[in-house]
Amino acid sequence: MNRYLAELFGTFWLVLGGCGSAVLAAGFPELGIGFLGVALAFGLTVLTMAFAIGHISGCHLNPAVSIGLWAGGRFEAKELLPYIIAQVVGGVLAGGVLYIIASGQAGFDATASGFASNGYGEHSPGGYTLTAALVCEIVMTAMFLIVIMGATDSRAPQGFAPIAIGLCLTLIHLISIPVTNTSVNPARSTGVALYVGEWATAQLWLFWVAPIIGAVIGAWIYRSLLGNNSD
C-alpha cells in the first residue's frame, strides 16, 4: 500500500507542478515562464519525486512507464493495475486542486483555455495533425523509456538516475510542447482533460494509446539491443 500511495502522491505532484506551471505561470504578461519554464517544471517534478519516493515505489508516476518497465522485464504484471489506478487518481486529484486555484481568477474558462490539456489538430499549440501528434508521442515516450531503463541499469553510475530522467523529461517537453502540449503520460493527460471535457476527453484516447505503444517499443529496444535480459 505504501508503494501505491507513493505513486498517487508523486503523480499528484507531477500534474500539479507541471500543468500548474502551464496554467498559472506560462502566459503571465511579460513575466510568464513560457515553454522553457513549463518544460523545466515537468522535469523538476520528476527529479524531486525520484529522490523523495524512488526508494519506495520506483517513482513511475506514469502508466506508460509502468507498462514499459513490465515489457522490459523490470516490473511485475500483478502490480500494473494498482500502480495505474494510483497514478490516475493522483493526476485527477491534482487536476481538481489546480482547477480550484485557477477558477479563482475572474473569467477563467477551462474549456476555452485548454487547462494544459493535450490535443492535436486545432487543439495542438502549433496546429499539428493527428498523425504528427501520434508519431511525436510514440517516439518521445520510447526515448523516455530508453533513458529510464539505461539510467536505472545496474551497470549505470549509481545515484544519478533522477537527474538523467528529469532532464530527459525536460528535453521531451522542449521538443513536443508545440505539437501536443506534451503528454508521454496518460495520467497527466487524464488529470486535466476530465475538467475540460468536450474536445479534451474526445482526444484523450491518443494520449493513452501513443505513450503505451512508445513505452513498449522503447523497453524492447533497450532490452534487446542496448541492455541484456538479466538487468
Side-chain angles (χ1 to χ4, degrees):
M1 183 58 68
N2 285 347
R3 285 180 293 168
Y4 308 146
L5 287 174
E7 286 296 303
L8 188 154
F9 286 118
T11 311
F12 176 92
W13 182 232
L14 182 146
V15 174
L16 185 62
C19 295
S21 70
V23 171
L24 304 176
F28 202 83
E30 297 181 9
L31 299 177
I33 61 175
F35 282 0
L36 177 60
V38 173
L40 186 58
F42 272 101
L44 288 173
T45 61
V46 170
L47 174 63
T48 53
M49 274 295 126
F51 281 115
I53 66 169
H55 56 287
I56 301 172
S57 68
C59 192
H60 299 184
L61 316 186
N62 182 337
V65 168
S66 296
I67 292 170
L69 291 175
W70 163 75
R74 299 278 190 89
F75 193 59
E76 294 185 73
K78 66 180 182 180
E79 298 283 5
L80 276 177
L81 185 59
Y83 262 58
I84 291 171
I85 291 172
Q87 291 156 358
V88 172
V89 169
V92 172
L93 288 175
V97 171
L98 181 57
Y99 185 87
I100 292 170
I101 296 171
S103 61
Q105 184 180 47
F108 171 74
D109 185 336
T111 302
S113 68
F115 197 52
S117 291
N118 303 113
Y120 54 83
E122 65 178 304
H123 301 294
S124 157
Y128 288 84
T129 64
L130 186 156
T131 300
L134 182 67
V135 171
C136 183
E137 288 290 326
I138 289 174
V139 173
M140 292 301 135
T141 313
M143 295 305 302
F144 195 31
L145 258 292
I146 290 171
V147 170
I148 289 171
M149 293 190 70
T152 57
D153 194 306
S154 59
R155 299 165 294 178
Q158 299 301 298
F160 295 100
I163 299 172
I165 295 168
L167 289 176
C168 180
L169 189 60
T170 298
L171 177 58
I172 286 170
H173 278 78
L174 289 174
I175 298 167
S176 60
I177 286 177
V179 183
T180 62
N181 223 13
T182 309
S183 172
V184 303
N185 184 339
R188 168 262 188 270
S189 299
T190 304
V192 289
L194 294 182
Y195 296 92
V196 175
E198 300 183 11
W199 66 265
T201 51
Q203 295 190 355
L204 184 59
W205 66 270
L206 185 142
F207 303 104
W208 275 86
V209 173
I212 290 173
I213 292 173
V216 172
I217 291 172
W220 177 83
I221 290 172
Y222 187 83
R223 189 175 186 181
S224 301
L225 305 180
L226 305 177
N228 66 66
N229 293 345
S230 65
D231 289 326

